[in-house]
Amino acid sequence: MSHALWGKIGGAGLGLAVGGPLGALLGAVAGHFLLDREGSLFGPTPREVVFTTGLVALAAKMAKSDGVVSPAEVAAFAEVVRVPEAERAGVTRLFDLAKGTTAGFEAYAQQIAEAFREEPRLLEDVLDGLFHIAKADGALHEKEAQYLRAVAEIFGLDEARFACLAARHVRLADDPYEALGVARGLPDPELKARYRALVAENHPDRAVARGLPPAAVAIATRRLAAINAAWDRIAAERGL
C-alpha cells in the first residue's frame, strides 16, 4: 500500500468508500462511525484498503482470541504488513480498536470473502498472514487454531487447502508433502513438476500482479520460503 494511502487510513472518506463493518472500523478510528453498505460517491471499493484493513482487523481479533496480545504477535504483524514509520501510529490505532471491540470477527471475514470471492488466492494470502502472526509466540494455541479454521470456512477454503496452508507454518503432522499439497507416493517427475509450478505461482512478483498489496508482499515471500523448505526436506529424503 502506498505511503499516501496509509496516510488516509482512518479517514472519513475511506470509511465511506469501503463500507460495511470494515468501513465502520475505519470511520471509528477517524472519530466517526460510518456505515455505507450500498457503496459511496468515492467510486469502486479500494481493494488495497479492504485487504489491508481486513488483515489488520482479523489479526487483532485473533491475537486476542487466546486472552492476551503478546509482543511477539504485534512484532509478527509488523513483519507481514510493512507500514511506513510515519504512519505506524494510525495503523496501531486501527489494530487496538479492532482487538478492543466486542463485535465478532465473522463480519470482517465475510466482507473480505465477498470482496475477493473471484480471487481465492488473495483470501489464502490473508490466512497465510494470520498463520504467521498466530505462531509468533512459538505455538499455535487451540483457540487460535479454531479461529483460523473458522475464518477459512467463511472464506470457502476446504479442509485440504486449510491443511496445506497450516503445514507451511506449523508442523502439525510433520509432513512436508502436505505443505506442497501432494501425496507422499507421487513419482519424482510429477513431484518436481508440482514444486516448480508452486514456485512460479507463489513468486512475490506474481502475487503483487494478482492483487496482493505491496505492503503485504512479505506474506508471499514467507510462503515461498516455506514451499522451498518443504521441498528441501523431500529432496533430501528421496536423494533428489
Side-chain angles (χ1 to χ4, degrees):
M1 183 176 292
S2 69
H3 187 284
L5 194 54
W6 271 116
K8 295 177 183 177
I9 277 192
L14 278 181
L16 282 170
V18 171
L22 293 177
L25 180 63
L26 287 170
V29 171
H32 305 279
F33 292 85
L34 304 172
L35 188 63
D36 181 2
R37 298 182 185 277
E38 304 301 327
S40 75
L41 299 177
F42 292 85
T45 300
R47 290 164 47 83
E48 288 187 45
V49 181
V50 171
F51 182 98
T52 310
T53 305
L55 180 56
V56 171
L58 291 179
K61 289 189 174 296
M62 182 190 64
K64 191 69 172 179
S65 66
D66 61 356
V68 61
V69 180
S70 73
E73 289 170 327
V74 175
F77 170 76
E79 289 172 358
V80 298
V81 180
R82 304 297 173 84
V83 182
E85 190 59 39
E87 311 299 341
R88 190 168 298 279
V91 178
T92 297
R93 286 197 298 272
L94 190 66
F95 187 93
D96 288 344
L97 182 63
K99 72 180 175 62
T101 62
T102 57
F105 66 90
E106 294 88 350
Y108 297 133
Q110 188 62 49
Q111 185 174 355
I112 298 169
E114 291 172 358
F116 301 116
R117 179 179 290 110
E118 304 304 320
E119 300 164 282
R121 295 297 301 279
L122 285 174
L123 297 176
E124 291 185 15
D125 289 335
V126 173
L127 204 60
D128 253 330
L130 293 176
F131 262 111
H132 178 70
I133 296 164
K135 70 180 183 182
D137 56 2
L140 182 65
H141 301 286
E142 181 180 355
K143 289 185 178 179
E144 291 172 330
Q146 292 172 350
Y147 180 99
L148 290 166
R149 191 175 296 277
V151 171
E153 290 177 358
I154 293 172
F155 284 178
L157 302 180
D158 61 24
E159 182 61 31
R161 284 308 300 159
F162 181 81
C164 182
L165 288 169
R168 294 174 186 170
H169 294 275
V170 184
R171 292 186 179 181
L172 298 174
D174 197 24
D175 188 351
Y177 292 88
E178 193 162 51
L180 299 186
V182 299
R184 180 173 285 273
L186 196 67
D188 289 351
E190 295 178 40
L191 182 61
K192 289 179 180 178
R194 173 60 176 162
Y195 165 66
R196 293 183 184 124
L198 281 172
V199 169
E201 291 169 9
N202 290 281
H203 191 280
D205 290 344
R206 179 75 67 84
V208 171
R210 62 175 164 73
L212 182 68
V217 73
I219 293 174
T221 301
R222 292 176 184 280
R223 179 170 56 240
L224 183 58
I227 290 169
N228 284 329
W231 169 255
D232 288 345
R233 291 178 62 202
I234 293 172
E237 177 185 294
R238 294 193 178 200
L240 299 177

